[in-house]
């Protein structure tokens, strides 16, 4: 990801970057690939980009890389194929490189295991080690004013292992891909015996006495069902209590017509739709992704529960139509207070841990933007207004592009935080970066000619570069 010739420099003497990506998960990794492929095709108009990532190395939901768990999305919706099927970063190229292409084909499935797909992501990320500052957390974004306009920003970051190690990178554009934040029931905090499912493998593997031989899993979605199955399988001496307000796990709608909500064209349809239609579409098709479970896993859990009834030892307890009302710390564990929604009866479950598989919410990028947050335009509900190219709309004086990799469900639809459209979205952001740079270069050329007294106007856009 090379710099352009003649690029200006920041106060520290380093070139101003075209883009700094905050976070280096699958979304910004896909963008790094799109930029790299553009730079190889057109080195004269290369985009200079770098990324910050708080983890010490690449990782994506490592705490839920459960043995046997499969992806819920086709391998063809990898980081590149929907944008460029010939890319060297495709899942098929990864399989060929690993020597498993024929073996994968013989499985006759579109859905690799989560462990294998994570290995694919690591394989892609390995190509961008020099472009990513791992182990650094972005702490602030500061506007750099020039004649009353904000043409660039300084991104301040600190080393995770040494907070005194602070650095600043100046850039003309941001790509915010900080991922999702765990959602917890009101009043609940995490602790040694209160886990979010994102940390399941790490927490469950930690050596600890299990005096209660019981786990409580809260939630009704895919992660909750997977967590219950994993704990039941891993700890054969323990009882696993699944607590959720529904009567049973609901199957995900993965029928072909419903799945078209994840097509790239659906983003255009959603973006252009009136607000009431947006709300209706999200309501109609929430069961393709939210609080739903793969049908095969539902059947597996039901068979397990039934067989245990036959054997007279029920370790998997489905506490349906119930709600967790409180969690208390006790010696070597936690006490979950649960209320039946049908009878109103309250009872307690002393356990080794309560696992909250209660989902995520998108982080608000304005928390990082400092004074720039006030320059971001919002709708009547206080949500960020986002253009079709995934760029936050701002006041006219801000010319820095702030691109969002997630948190745009209200404008771009249900795929905002999913893998399905990463390949296409990364290409759209890359194209937007190039277009805006061309516009900036043309305006700068006009200003120089006016200053020189020519008074001439451009009628043809200058080439990128």
């Amino acid at each position: 990801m090379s710099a352009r010739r003649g690029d200006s420099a920041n106060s520290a003497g380093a070139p101003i970057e075209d883009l700094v990506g905050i976070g280096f998960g699958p979304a910004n990794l896909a963008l790094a690939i799109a930029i790299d492929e553009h730079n190889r095709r057109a080195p004269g108009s290369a985009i200079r980009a770098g990324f910050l990532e708080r983890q010490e190395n690449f990782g994506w939901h490592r705490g839920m890389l459960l043995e046997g768990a499969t992806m819920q999305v086709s391998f063809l919706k990898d980081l590149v194929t929907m944008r460029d099927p010939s890319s060297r970063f495709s899942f098929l190229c990864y399989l060929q490189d690993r020597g498993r292409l024929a073996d994968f084909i013989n499985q006759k499935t579109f859905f690799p295991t989560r462990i294998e797909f994570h290995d694919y992501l690591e394989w892609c990320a390995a190509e961008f080690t020099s472009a990513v500052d791992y182990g650094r957390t972005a702490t602030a974004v500061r506007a750099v004013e020039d004649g009353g306009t904000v043409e660039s920003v300084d991104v301040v970051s600190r080393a995770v292992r040494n907070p005194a190690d602070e650095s600043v990178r100046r850039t003309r554009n941001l790509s915010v891909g900080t991922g999702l934040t765990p959602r917890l029931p009101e009043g609940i905090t995490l602790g040694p015996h209160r886990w979010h499912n994102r940390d399941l493998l790490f927490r469950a593997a930690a050596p600890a006495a299990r005096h209660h031989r019981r786990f409580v899993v809260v939630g009704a979605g895919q992660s909750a069902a997977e967590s219950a199955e994993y704990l039941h399988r891993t700890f054969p001496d323990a009882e696993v209590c699944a607590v959720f307000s529904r009567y049973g796990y609901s199957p995900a709608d993965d029928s072909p017509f419903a799945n078209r909500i994840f097509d790239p064209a659906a983003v255009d349809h959603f973006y252009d739709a009136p607000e009431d239609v947006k709300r209706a579409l999200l309501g109609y098709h929430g069961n393709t992704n939210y609080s739903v479970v793969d049908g095969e896993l539902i059947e597996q859990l039901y068979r397990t529960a039934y067989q245990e009834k036959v054997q007279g030892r029920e370790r998997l307890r489905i506490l349906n139509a119930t709600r967790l009302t409180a969690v208390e710390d006790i010696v070597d564990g936690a006490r979950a207070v649960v209320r039946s929604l049908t009878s109103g009866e309250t009872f307690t479950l002393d356990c080794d841990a309560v696992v909250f598989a209660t989902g995520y919410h998108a982080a608000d990028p304005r928390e990082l933007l400092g004074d720039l947050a006030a320059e971001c335009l919002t709708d009547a509900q206080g949500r960020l207004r986002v253009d079709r190219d995934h760029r936050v709309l701002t006041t006219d004086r801000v010319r820095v592009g702030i691109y969002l990799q997630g948190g745009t469900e209200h404008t771009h639809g249900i795929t905002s935080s999913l893998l399905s459209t990463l390949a296409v979205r990364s290409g759209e952001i890359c194209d937007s970066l190039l277009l805006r740079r061309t516009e900036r270069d043309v305006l700068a050329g006009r200003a120089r000619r006016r200053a020189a007294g020519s008074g001439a106007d451009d009628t043809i856009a200058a080439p990128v570069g």
Side-chain angles (χ1 to χ4, degrees):
M1 297 185 181
S2 56
R4 294 187 297 153
R5 287 176 295 180
D7 215 349
S8 54
N10 64 18
S11 58
I16 298 179
E17 295 175 273
D18 293 305
L19 176 81
V20 167
I22 300 176
F24 198 66
N28 270 339
L29 171 56
L31 179 56
I33 292 172
I35 291 173
D36 177 76
E37 292 180 337
H38 161 77
N39 290 352
R40 290 174 183 271
R41 290 191 305 267
S45 63
I47 296 172
R48 181 185 178 90
F51 300 86
L52 299 168
E53 170 54 51
R54 63 176 176 269
Q55 297 183 100
E56 297 290 338
N57 45 54
F58 183 87
W60 177 66
H61 295 301
R62 286 185 178 274
M64 285 296 288
L65 297 180
L66 308 180
E67 183 179 351
T70 59
M71 299 291 293
Q72 272 72 58
V73 62
S74 167
F75 72 87
L76 293 172
K77 293 184 177 181
D78 57 21
L79 299 179
V80 294
T81 297
M82 295 289 284
R83 174 176 54 82
D84 178 10
S86 66
S87 170
R88 68 187 180 98
F89 289 98
S90 72
F91 186 78
L92 291 178
C93 284
Y94 153 79
L95 289 174
Q96 180 74 6
D97 184 68
R98 290 287 198 250
R100 294 198 307 269
L101 180 57
D103 294 332
F104 183 85
I105 292 171
N106 289 337
Q107 287 190 117
K108 299 180 181 180
T109 180
F110 276 86
F111 306 102
T113 65
R114 200 172 296 156
I115 291 174
E116 183 174 32
F117 200 79
H118 189 275
D119 189 58
Y120 157 69
L121 295 175
E122 287 184 300
W123 177 80
C124 292
E127 293 287 319
F128 299 95
T129 303
S130 62
V132 185
D133 283 342
Y134 285 106
R136 299 197 70 87
T137 299
T139 58
V141 174
R142 299 170 181 163
V144 179
E145 293 201 29
D146 181 9
T149 62
V150 179
E151 300 282 353
S152 60
V153 293
D154 285 340
V155 181
V156 183
S157 68
R158 290 176 182 162
V160 172
R161 292 182 180 270
N162 179 17
D165 177 6
E166 186 175 277
S167 66
V168 178
R169 301 174 71 155
R170 184 163 294 181
T171 180
R172 296 187 179 91
N173 298 279
L174 293 172
S175 174
V176 183
T178 50
L180 300 170
T181 302
R183 178 186 289 115
L184 296 169
E186 187 176 355
I188 297 296
T189 56
L190 300 178
H193 303 283
R194 310 176 189 194
W195 313 339
H196 189 271
N197 71 273
R198 71 168 182 177
D199 299 319
L200 181 61
L201 284 180
F202 309 132
R203 293 288 198 170
R210 292 186 297 105
H211 297 291
H212 305 283
R213 290 184 171 83
R214 177 187 285 144
F215 294 95
V216 173
V217 179
V218 181
Q222 181 73 21
S223 294
E226 288 179 349
S227 298
E229 190 279 331
Y230 167 78
L231 292 168
H232 184 272
R233 166 168 45 91
T234 305
F235 300 100
D237 63 338
E239 179 181 279
V240 178
C241 300
V243 174
F244 49 82
S245 57
R246 299 185 179 197
Y247 207 77
Y249 292 114
S250 298
D253 183 358
D254 61 353
S255 57
F257 287 112
N259 273 342
R260 293 174 71 178
I261 197 69
F262 303 117
D263 291 353
V267 177
D268 289 317
H269 300 153
F270 189 92
Y271 189 86
D272 293 335
E275 187 60 34
D276 60 332
V277 175
K278 285 184 169 72
R279 288 195 300 271
L281 287 173
L282 291 175
Y284 293 151
H285 298 291
N287 63 347
T288 59
N289 183 63
Y290 298 117
S291 297
V292 289
V293 182
D294 177 72
E296 290 185 6
L297 180 55
I298 293 175
E299 292 180 5
Q300 177 188 340
L301 291 172
Y302 189 89
R303 283 194 301 269
T304 298
Y306 179 76
Q307 289 164 5
E308 289 184 347
K309 280 187 178 182
V310 172
Q311 296 164 2
R313 181 172 179 253
E314 298 181 43
R315 289 199 305 115
L316 179 59
R317 297 177 58 193
I318 306 299
L319 305 181
N320 55 3
T322 60
R323 178 168 294 151
L324 182 83
T325 60
V327 177
E328 306 166 3
D329 291 326
I330 59 175
V331 176
D332 295 320
R335 175 168 294 156
V337 182
V338 179
R339 180 172 62 86
S340 168
L341 298 179
T342 54
S343 69
E345 177 188 3
T346 297
F347 54 96
T348 60
L349 297 167
D350 290 355
C351 57
D352 298 299
V354 180
V355 180
F356 293 94
T358 44
Y360 298 85
H361 60 80
D364 191 336
R366 286 172 287 191
E367 296 174 4
L368 264 181
L369 295 179
D371 293 342
L372 269 182
E375 306 286 346
C376 298
L377 304 183
T378 58
D379 63 14
Q381 299 180 50
R383 302 172 300 187
L384 288 173
R385 292 175 57 192
V386 186
D387 212 343
R388 178 60 186 84
D389 62 357
H390 313 280
R391 181 173 49 87
V392 176
L393 294 173
T394 62
T395 60
D396 290 340
R397 79 184 202 91
V398 176
R399 297 176 184 173
V400 173
I402 304 169
Y403 295 87
L404 298 187
Q405 296 269 29
T408 57
E409 187 174 274
H410 61 292
T411 55
H412 289 68
I414 204 167
T415 59
S416 168
S417 61
L418 305 180
L419 295 173
S420 295
T421 57
L422 284 192
V424 173
R425 184 169 76 202
S426 63
E428 292 171 343
I429 294 176
C430 183
D431 289 344
S432 177
L433 292 170
L434 292 167
L435 177 62
R436 285 170 54 79
R437 190 171 72 185
T438 299
E439 292 172 347
R440 186 178 64 247
D441 289 349
V442 169
L443 291 175
R446 288 176 177 172
R448 286 194 297 270
R449 281 188 285 277
R450 289 194 186 99
S454 69
D457 255 351
D458 294 311
T459 58
I460 300 176
V464 175

